[in-house]
Amino acid sequence: MKVELIELIARVLQVLRINMSWMTWNLFLAFIPLALSVWLFRIKRGRSWVWWLGFIVFYAFLPNAPYLLTDVIHLIDDIRTIQSVWMITLVLIPVYFLVIFAGFEAYVISLINLGHYLHRIGKSQWIFRVELITHALSAIGIYWGRFLRFNSWDFITQPDALLTKGVEELLGKQPLVIIAITFVILTGLHWLMKRVSLGFVNQSRKAIAVKSRSTNPDTPNAG
């Protein structure tokens, strides 16, 4: 029993060690658009050519954040390798959940920052439409990445292959169905996670405000 347990733990550690390489890399790619969204949309600056370049890079890398949703396919192979209900439930699934959640949350916060920018420049009515367009573009990017194995930097390194092969693939019935399903999933998950994220932020602000009032009892109440 003790030998079997040691072998099982060793197998789990091996699987996690293998996964950590691509998980770390994919999370790094997912956080690039998040960092760019803060620089582009939260810091007040003019829209110079540098800003527009950053905007293009932002959209080129943005699909990497929700792309982590598709990495659940690796979980199936890992489950077959480990074959232990307890290890799968207590170790493997939580690790995958945290990685996928972090990637998609980076996507949600990036779009929240974009919406904040549109609101700031007086284009609040565009927010929903821009979100839908972004979901559609991200769905295409996810398909290109998962099935055609293109990367974000292929826009520069091999734009001809990206445009020819990528566009040709989009004309097929199966790719359109996959992209449409991905678009629906992105739209639904984003709608849910956006409200959860904004609710958490608003709740934190209220808690800070209440704490500030409690530490400053002489502050007059508004109204």
Side-chain angles (χ1 to χ4, degrees):
M1 184 69 180
K2 193 176 292 185
V3 174
E4 292 178 355
L5 180 61
I6 293 174
E7 290 179 352
L8 178 60
I9 294 174
R11 196 156 60 243
V12 171
L13 292 176
Q14 181 183 9
V15 169
L16 290 177
R17 187 168 60 251
I18 294 172
N19 286 339
M20 280 303 133
S21 59
W22 66 260
M23 284 180 174
T24 304
W25 174 247
N26 285 358
L27 279 177
F28 170 74
L29 294 177
F31 284 121
I32 289 177
L34 176 60
L36 284 171
S37 72
V38 175
W39 181 77
L40 290 167
F41 309 130
R42 287 290 179 173
I43 302 174
K44 292 185 178 181
R45 63 178 72 250
R47 282 179 285 184
S48 63
W49 69 269
V50 177
W51 189 92
W52 283 109
L53 179 61
F55 183 77
I56 293 172
V57 175
F58 166 76
Y59 262 99
F61 277 86
L62 187 59
N64 288 295
Y67 177 87
L68 280 157
L69 291 171
T70 67
D71 285 330
V72 72
I73 63 173
H74 299 299
L75 177 61
I76 299 172
D77 294 331
D78 291 343
I79 289 175
R80 291 171 181 166
T81 301
I82 294 176
Q83 295 181 343
S84 168
V85 176
W86 290 110
M87 287 296 181
I88 292 169
T89 305
L90 299 178
V91 179
L92 204 60
I93 291 178
V95 169
Y96 269 87
F97 174 79
L98 288 175
V99 171
I100 293 173
F101 175 81
F104 198 80
E105 185 65 15
Y107 180 72
V108 172
I109 296 176
S110 296
L111 288 186
I112 289 176
N113 291 338
L114 175 56
H116 171 81
Y117 176 78
L118 292 173
H119 178 75
R120 195 178 75 212
I121 63 175
K123 303 294 183 182
S124 299
Q125 70 277 12
W126 289 10
I127 294 177
F128 181 68
R129 281 173 283 181
V130 169
E131 286 178 347
L132 289 181
I133 293 172
T134 302
H135 297 330
L137 293 175
S138 295
I140 294 172
I142 290 171
Y143 178 83
W144 281 350
R146 173 54 64 190
F147 293 96
L148 304 185
R149 310 309 298 168
F150 283 118
N151 297 303
S152 298
W153 47 88
D154 287 332
F155 281 101
I156 298 175
T157 59
Q158 47 178 341
D160 51 344
L162 186 66
L163 292 176
T164 54
K165 186 178 179 181
V167 173
E168 285 176 5
E169 284 284 335
L170 296 181
L171 301 178
K173 183 178 180 180
Q174 183 177 353
L176 287 177
V177 171
I178 295 173
I179 291 171
I181 294 173
T182 305
F183 171 77
V184 172
I185 293 173
L186 291 181
T187 303
L189 283 179
H190 172 263
W191 180 87
L192 176 64
M193 291 301 299
K194 178 180 179 181
R195 273 143 190 80
V196 172
S197 300
L198 291 177
F200 178 78
V201 171
N202 292 333
Q203 194 67 28
S204 299
R205 287 176 178 173
K206 288 179 182 178
I208 293 173
V210 170
K211 186 176 180 180
S212 177
R213 286 183 192 144
S214 64
T215 54
N216 296 281
D218 296 332
T219 303
N221 293 326

